[in-house]
Structures are given as C-alpha cells and as structure tokens.
C-alpha cells in the first residue's frame, strides 16, 4: 500500500551544478540512483520516491532561502546504522561541510537520537539519522 508515502520532493536551488555536486554523493550513499537529467534539473530515485533539484529562475535569486522562514525546515533521511551515520559524518568533514550542533554531535536530537546535521549549498538543513 502506498497511501500516505512520499511520492517526491522538488527543491529549487540557487546553483544547480553546486547542488548536484553536493547531493549526488549523499543520495547515492543512501541508495538513490540518478533518475532524470535535463538542462535545469536533476533527480534521484529510491523505490517509488524521487527527489528533484531545479535551478531557480534568475528573477527569484534575490530572495535567499532560510529554514527559519515559512516553508521547508529540513530534510531527514535514515542511515543504515550508527556506523553509517559516522561514515557520512566523516565524508562531510572531508568535504569541508560544517557539522551543525557539533558540540552535541551525534546526540544533538537527544540521547536516543543518533544523527548528523548539516546544510546543503543553499543552507537547507539535512539530517541523517540512525534507525
């Protein structure tokens, strides 16, 4: 039964190339595969759910995204395990990605919530959480 499952997400980005570089390794690490590519977009799919990144039109680039405004706050994905969260954290650090709440990492969400938090190139917060 698919009722209630997420079908897809579409995210407008300020720089498509930068977003593809950031997201491709992460989504593929989580089991997604490249799905569709066109001049102003790229998508990845896992089972029946896909995620799309689309280049924002030039006329809308003057208003930057911020997760504290109305709209999307963050995306959270399951990892395979705590070790998988640690592997992704190490990869993020190697790429120079800032880990959010690093003073509380990996328990920034609480003692029972093992996760890493970080931001994509447009400062969309991303969370990878152990099951």
């Amino acid at each position: 039964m698919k009722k209630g499952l997420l079908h897809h997400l579409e995210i407008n980005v300020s720089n498509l190339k930068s977003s593809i570089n950031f997201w491709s390794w992460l989504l593929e690490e989580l089991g997604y595969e490249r799905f569709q590519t066109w001049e102003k977009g790229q998508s990845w799919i896992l089972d029946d759910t896909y995620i799309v990144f689309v280049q924002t039109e030039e006329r809308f680039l003057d208003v930057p995204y911020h997760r504290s405004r109305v709209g999307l706050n963050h995306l959270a994905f399951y990892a395979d395990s705590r070790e998988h969260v640690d592997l992704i954290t190490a990869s993020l650090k190697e790429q120079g990605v800032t880990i959010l709440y690093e003073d509380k990492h990996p328990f920034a969400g609480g003692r029972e919530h093992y996760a890493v938090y970080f931001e994509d190139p447009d400062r969309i917060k991303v969370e990878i959480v152990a099951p």
Side-chain angles (χ1 to χ4, degrees):
M1 180 175 184
K2 294 183 181 183
K3 182 179 179 181
L5 295 179
L6 189 63
H7 185 269
H8 73 275
L9 295 171
E10 186 167 318
I11 302 171
N12 292 336
V13 297
S14 65
N15 182 308
L16 183 61
K17 183 178 178 180
S18 172
S19 291
I20 287 172
N21 288 339
F22 180 86
W23 282 97
S24 62
W25 76 270
L26 178 62
L27 291 174
E28 290 166 17
E29 174 66 33
L30 295 172
Y32 285 78
E33 297 177 358
R34 286 182 187 257
F35 182 47
Q36 299 168 316
T37 303
W38 62 102
E39 181 183 351
K40 298 203 181 222
Q42 170 72 53
S43 67
W44 284 264
I45 192 166
L46 176 62
D47 296 329
D48 293 327
T49 301
Y50 61 97
I51 300 175
V52 183
F53 298 90
V54 178
Q55 177 62 54
T56 299
E57 293 179 36
E58 186 74 33
R59 64 191 171 119
F60 296 120
L61 287 175
D62 61 335
V63 180
Y65 167 83
H66 195 285
R67 69 178 180 266
S68 294
R69 291 184 179 153
V70 172
L72 178 71
N73 178 272
H74 72 280
L75 300 171
F77 298 92
Y78 276 112
D80 283 330
S81 62
R82 286 183 173 200
E83 293 77 19
H84 194 204
V85 170
D86 295 341
L87 175 72
I88 290 171
T89 302
S91 294
L92 290 165
K93 288 180 177 181
E94 286 174 13
Q95 296 176 48
V97 176
T98 300
I99 304 302
L100 301 175
Y101 325 118
E102 193 161 22
D103 60 324
K104 297 178 183 174
H105 175 77
F107 296 104
R111 292 187 314 189
E112 301 296 320
H113 192 77
Y114 196 95
V116 60
Y117 299 84
F118 53 99
E119 292 177 327
D120 86 340
D122 285 312
R123 301 202 60 207
I124 294 174
K125 184 168 71 170
V126 183
E127 175 183 355
I128 307 297
V129 61

